[in-house]
Amino acid sequence: MRVVTVKAIAKELRERGHYLDELYQITIAYAISLHVRYCAVDAECDAIEASYTLEENSFGSHPWEDDDRWAALDDERSDIEDELDNLFNTVIGFEYDCNPFKK
């Protein structure tokens, strides 16, 4: 699955007229926090995979998939990907002149 980037979300916000307003700042801060979490979880998954590749590969093609920690991290990684997708789709639905933070 391809992960939605913060840059893509920022671009969509700017195209909808939200350039550095409150909506932009809050949305980008949330997107960045999701991205940072995703990178951390992805790095942990890579570390677990690397530890298995250093061992003798007698378990099969992907022995780390049976590791409970890796499975939990992989689920978390998928959840973050879904959240980024949902955030992107929400941004696409924003109206040009609509800012919920201004009255």
Side-chain angles (χ1 to χ4, degrees):
M1 175 180 223
R2 186 171 175 206
V3 179
V4 173
T5 64
V6 175
K7 185 177 180 178
I9 292 170
K11 178 182 177 272
E12 292 298 328
L13 281 166
R14 284 190 306 272
E15 287 180 1
R16 283 156 178 72
H18 299 286
Y19 184 73
L20 298 181
D21 63 6
E22 294 91 350
L23 182 64
Y24 180 92
Q25 292 172 6
I26 291 169
T27 305
I28 294 304
Y30 183 56
I32 289 171
S33 72
L34 288 172
H35 176 73
V36 168
R37 276 185 46 219
Y38 180 85
C39 290
V41 170
D42 194 47
E44 286 185 64
C45 285
D46 289 346
I48 291 171
E49 291 171 19
S51 72
Y52 278 98
T53 57
L54 292 175
E55 297 175 4
E56 186 176 318
N57 194 358
S58 61
F59 299 105
S61 60
H62 301 290
W64 56 82
E65 291 178 352
D66 294 329
D67 186 303
D68 292 338
R69 177 78 176 133
W70 184 89
L73 288 168
D74 190 49
D75 289 343
E76 184 177 352
R77 183 170 47 183
S78 294
D79 291 345
I80 295 169
E81 290 171 356
D82 292 343
E83 186 65 23
L84 281 166
D85 271 344
N86 290 338
L87 182 60
F88 182 77
N89 290 331
T90 300
V91 167
I92 288 175
F94 287 155
E95 294 178 25
Y96 181 77
D97 290 332
C98 177
N99 186 343
F101 299 104
K102 292 190 177 181
K103 294 180 181 183

